[in-house]
Amino acid sequence: MLSAVAIVLCLKIYLILFVMDFALGLYSFFSSFVLFNVLFFAYTKYKDPYVKVMEDKDNEKEKGEKTTGRSSSSAPLISIVVPVKNEEDNIRNCVESCLNQTYENKEVIIVNDGSTDKTAAILDEQLQF
């Protein structure tokens, strides 16, 4: 992917020198150059937190420590936020779908934005702690 961006930069240099107006070409080249640097540094410096969690879990297994599946310390908490307004026909399926996800360490936050139908009553029925 980085090589494709580098090829685009080389193409823009060619266009600056032989095809385009110099000022427009220079602007195009520098904007692409800045985007290339952002992409390059994000690609080389970003470390996914999930990878670290999985590496820690593997290290625990190698050391012989007992792991008990996914706990709150080994898996990050995922928040599912669902804004709703007048969704009485769909809200049950939506909430059940969110709760039935296989990822265990999650919370479901439903924001009722002033529904005028039975959405609030349905949400109260499905309230879980």
Side-chain angles (χ1 to χ4, degrees), residues 5-72:
V5 176
I7 291 171
V8 168
L9 287 176
C10 291
L11 177 67
K12 288 192 177 200
I13 290 173
Y14 170 78
L15 292 174
I16 289 171
L17 295 175
F18 301 110
V19 178
M20 295 171 71
D21 177 40
F22 185 75
L24 180 64
L26 200 58
Y27 170 76
S28 173
F29 174 77
F30 281 122
S31 62
S32 297
F33 182 74
V34 168
L35 291 174
F36 172 75
N37 283 323
V38 168
L39 175 69
F40 177 76
F41 286 117
Y43 182 76
T44 57
K45 301 296 182 186
Y46 176 74
K47 302 296 183 214
D48 189 1
Y50 184 74
V51 172
K52 181 174 180 349
V53 168
M54 296 311 290
E55 288 173 354
D56 291 344
K57 192 181 251 188
D58 290 341
N59 289 338
E60 288 175 3
K61 286 181 182 178
E62 288 176 5
K63 292 178 183 177
E65 297 175 4
K66 185 176 179 182
T67 57
T68 59
R70 293 181 188 210
S71 65
S72 60

Side-chain angles (χ1 to χ4, degrees), residues 79-83 107-111:
S79 298
I80 303 170
V81 180
V82 183
E107 66 180 352
V108 180
I109 302 168
I110 301 174
V111 180

